[in-house]
Amino acid sequence: MSTFEIGERDFLLDGRPHRVVSGALHYFRVHPDLWADRIRSARLLGLNTIETYVAWNFHAPRRGEFDLTGPRDLGRFLDLVAAEGMHAIVRPGPYICAEWDNGGLPAWLLADPSIGVRRHEPGFMAAIGEYLDAVLPVVAARQVDRGGPVVAVQVENEYGAYGDDKGYLQALVDLTRAGGITVPLFTCDQADDAMLERGGLPGLLRTATFGSRAAERLAILRRHQPTGPLMCMEFWNGWFDSWGLPHHVAPAEANAQDLDDLLAAGASVNLYMVHGGTNLGLTNGANHKGTYLPITTSYDYDAPIAEHGAATAKYHAMRAVLARHVPVPDELPDARPPAPVREVALTHRAPLAALLDVVAGVPRAWDHVPTADEAGHWNGFVVYRTRVRADDRVLVVGEVRDRAVVLLDGEPVGVLSRTAHEHVLPLPARAGELTVLVEDQGRVNYGPRIGEPKGLVGPVRTAVRELTAWTTSALLVDPLPAAATDRLAPVPADEPVAGPALLAGAFDAEPGVDHFWSTDGWGKGLVWVNGTLLGRYWSAMPTRTLYVPGPLVRERNEVVVLELGGAVDAVVRCVAEPVLGPVDV
Ligand code: GLA
């Protein structure tokens, strides 16, 4: 058992000054069989602490449900941190930002317009109470004063960038304390006077988020935290990627120098991220600062530990810096051998339109065009259907959130993209059944658009009238119903793919070995390996490979692909190394 406190100048571990040298590692972005490996590599870098957010919506698919098993077993993750001899910092939000769908807030909660977002509103607070009741026992039982690894817990996240409701922050503190958290609580904000003022509370340690110019930023923080340790709660040693933009690289030498400056100033640090991982499935968020930009599947973040666990050049540069300030173990993480290079023929396929009876839910009829949220769909794809006439000629949509593939009698007639600010699509001059397959590409995770509805935002008009008679159903992708692949027919894999189509193939492999699927030649879609939805791929750049974590790979494997556009052939090419895409210099 230990004590961890905030002293006059320092953190105090068992009464003695202690520097927190931490790295962010989100259990929800890493396959659970790889948690131990990534934690160990973080320790070998010289870190003494692992920090993780908790993503509320990852545990709570519906109100009243809370899953703490398998990939959601936060207790096991914290136990693995302890087993490595490290401390843990937990940031349960409830808002986490993190390039995560809706910043972690459940869409089912914010679909109710009476709910106040990130403020002291009774409906929001009641739901947070339920969430904290479910998650805090896991954390409380693992606090350092009970023999566990948890030394500190964060309240909210960069709240000063969003609001100024101190009553909300205080209510979160009260709920957290009532939930049995006895270790120090803290807030984090960008290194900005106004934000640090709005985002903090008297009596709670303020920390700052920044990735460079340490002396200047620590001086700003010191104005708001006159005593106690100075901590950079997010030292941005890399950055996330968005579809359509180049891959972000933060030079290792500059990161190492900035880290040296921070440590030389005596500050504590949390590297954001020490290991980024992957936005598996449909979990990525998005930004919207005038244009909607969804986050990529890869969350490599140009972090010291790469998405597949390799120690990068940045790892070695930062380790050398850390060794000047803290004890660093001699050992290094195991080298990662190149991944197997192989071609997997997808031997069976069918048009998606011919499978909707099995891959879409039961259609619900409407007398207006509902949003996805109104129809009770919280992520992925919604199939909207209506009938059009020969004189309709054009489809005009209020707003598409976020990308619609439009089909007339099962034949693709075009795409409407929110990122491209598109609202209008010409239609062939014939009557038929119109299917609008709308993809939620990830809910905005930062700023005032958190919680906005997805799907089609009406009205939807044509050249001559408003379209009001619709049916909606969810595309069932996670999991994909087994009956879908049973219906695929053999087609030679060298034939081009005209989407939207579902394709499947099989391959033999050495179990447990990582693969990288090169998405070159493919359009846009989803990939499943042995039934697990890996995530989205897209030709829109930057990411050119999709990471297949080794624990998903068996001796005999099934690959399923949903291709929304087209592909040169139906061959999945596995390559030796990740390709994260073009970099602007
Ligand atoms: C902020 C947030 C994090 C993350 C980073 C950018 O610091 O607090 O959750 O979104 O920005 O990666």
Side-chain angles (χ1 to χ4, degrees):
M1 235 124 58
S2 293
T3 61
F4 187 85
E5 295 154 303
I6 292 168
E8 267 303 299
R9 300 292 308 175
D10 300 288
F11 290 113
L12 300 174
L13 180 64
D14 295 325
R16 284 187 296 278
H18 172 79
R19 192 204 302 255
V20 177
V21 185
S22 173
L25 199 175
H26 302 149
Y27 62 96
F28 44 84
R29 287 188 155 121
V30 179
H31 189 288
D33 293 0
L34 299 173
W35 288 346
D37 172 74
R38 305 316 195 234
I39 295 166
R40 181 165 185 276
S41 295
R43 179 177 66 78
L44 298 182
L45 177 61
L47 306 185
N48 56 26
T49 305
I50 295 289
E51 179 273 316
T52 186
Y53 283 124
V54 179
W56 181 359
N57 56 3
F58 186 59
H59 295 273
R62 274 166 291 277
R63 191 156 194 167
E65 288 181 24
F66 205 82
D67 186 355
L68 283 163
T69 64
R72 296 169 178 77
D73 192 346
L74 172 64
R76 180 175 163 261
F77 179 79
L78 295 173
D79 292 344
L80 289 171
V81 171
E84 205 58 49
M86 301 176 82
H87 287 149
I89 294 174
V90 181
R91 303 200 288 167
Y95 164 76
I96 63 168
C97 194
E99 292 71 67
W100 189 256
D101 189 56
N102 231 15
L105 298 174
W108 49 254
L109 177 63
L110 305 191
D112 175 351
S114 72
I115 294 292
V117 183
R118 299 180 73 190
R119 61 187 171 82
H120 194 277
E121 181 279 315
F124 190 52
M125 295 314 300
I128 292 171
E130 293 167 25
Y131 161 57
L132 293 178
D133 277 352
V135 75
L136 288 184
V138 175
V139 182
R142 291 172 174 81
Q143 294 176 101
V144 74
D145 50 8
R146 301 198 203 167
V150 177
V151 292
V153 170
Q154 183 179 297
V155 173
E156 246 280 349
N157 190 76
E158 290 190 341
Y159 185 63
Y162 183 86
D164 59 4
D165 185 346
K166 298 274 184 190
Y168 164 61
L169 288 181
Q170 188 57 52
L172 290 179
V173 169
D174 295 345
L175 285 171
T176 305
R177 289 294 184 211
I181 300 300
T182 49
V183 293
L185 302 183
F186 64 93
T187 53
C188 85
D189 278 287
Q190 291 163 40
D192 169 277
D193 283 312
M195 291 192 196
L196 279 159
E197 172 48 40
R198 280 198 300 265
L201 276 184
L204 237 56
L205 182 75
R206 284 174 163 93
T207 68
T209 58
F210 56 85
S212 61
R213 311 212 302 269
E216 178 190 331
R217 267 70 184 261
L218 291 175
I220 298 172
L221 175 60
R222 194 39 108 198
R223 290 204 280 272
H224 301 268
Q225 185 59 51
T227 66
L230 291 175
M231 178 154 185
C232 176
M233 191 47 69
E234 291 179 22
F235 177 76
W236 298 318
N237 50 229
W239 203 245
F240 56 84
D241 281 344
S242 306
W243 290 117
L245 299 182
H247 169 51
H248 278 105
V249 167
E253 311 73 51
N255 282 164
Q257 183 58 55
D258 287 326
L259 179 63
D260 204 9
D261 295 348
L262 184 66
L263 294 174
S268 283
V269 65
N270 178 43
L271 305 179
Y272 192 96
M273 306 285 302
V274 67
H275 171 60
T278 311
N279 293 314
L280 294 156
L282 302 168
T283 58
N284 66 279
N287 281 292
H288 195 308
K289 296 174 180 170
T291 292
Y292 172 81
L293 291 172
I295 304 295
T296 54
T297 304
S298 170
Y299 198 68
D300 177 88
Y301 215 83
D302 196 30
I305 304 168
E307 184 177 6
H308 61 295
T312 64
K314 185 174 291 185
Y315 185 96
H316 297 288
M318 293 185 118
R319 188 167 172 272
V321 167
L322 284 161
R324 292 205 278 276
H325 301 274
V326 293
V328 171
D330 291 336
E331 213 181 327
L332 281 168
D334 300 335
R336 311 286 143 153
V341 175
R342 56 162 49 97
E343 294 197 346
V344 179
L346 303 184
T347 52
H348 290 68
R349 64 175 90 170
L352 182 69
L355 299 171
L356 286 181
D357 58 320
V358 288
V359 295
V362 179
R364 179 165 160 196
W366 301 86
D367 62 3
H368 64 283
V369 64
T371 65
D373 299 58
E374 193 179 348
H377 306 310
W378 313 124
N379 58 21
F381 295 79
V382 178
V383 183
Y384 285 79
R385 294 186 128 172
T386 191
R387 290 207 60 87
V388 290
R389 306 186 313 225
D391 63 345
D392 278 326
R393 301 299 297 270
V394 64
L395 187 69
V396 185
V397 181
E399 192 169 344
V400 174
R401 294 182 183 167
D402 305 295
R403 189 175 182 274
V405 177
V406 183
L407 306 119
L408 185 58
D409 292 329
E411 290 298 316
V413 294
V415 169
L416 287 173
S417 151
R418 179 186 191 184
T419 298
H421 299 271
E422 291 167 338
H423 297 263
V424 184
L425 187 74
L427 294 177
R430 58 185 160 83
E433 186 183 45
L434 194 76
T435 302
V436 186
L437 180 62
V438 184
E439 180 181 359
D440 161 0
Q441 292 182 273
R443 290 177 187 262
V444 172
N445 57 262
Y446 184 83
R449 287 178 183 270
I450 298 161
E452 68 180 7
K454 291 292 192 175
L456 294 180
V457 181
V460 179
R461 292 183 290 108
T462 72
V464 293
R465 62 189 177 123
E466 185 174 343
L467 296 175
T468 53
W470 291 89
T471 64
T472 59
S473 52
L475 205 62
L476 308 173
V477 295
D478 197 10
L480 186 72
T485 41
D486 295 346
R487 291 257 293 272
L488 307 184
V491 174
D494 56 5
E495 288 210 4
V497 178
L502 200 70
L503 304 98
F507 69 101
D508 295 331
E510 190 189 327
V513 171
D514 285 351
H515 284 63
F516 303 100
W517 173 38
S518 164
T519 57
D520 283 340
W522 288 83
K524 183 181 197 314
L526 302 177
V527 180
W528 294 257
V529 172
N530 296 323
T532 297
L533 176 58
L534 281 183
R536 309 173 215 251
Y537 66 89
W538 200 1
S539 60
M541 88 166 175
T543 331
R544 307 301 323 146
T545 52
L546 200 60
Y547 173 50
V548 185
L552 293 181
V553 177
R554 311 173 187 149
E555 234 162 80
R556 182 80 182 148
N557 301 278
E558 191 197 37
V559 184
V560 177
V561 174
L562 170 65
E563 170 57 51
L564 297 168
V568 287
D569 57 23
V571 179
V572 168
R573 293 180 175 82
C574 297
V575 296
E577 305 282 345
V579 185
L580 299 178
V583 178
D584 266 2
V585 283

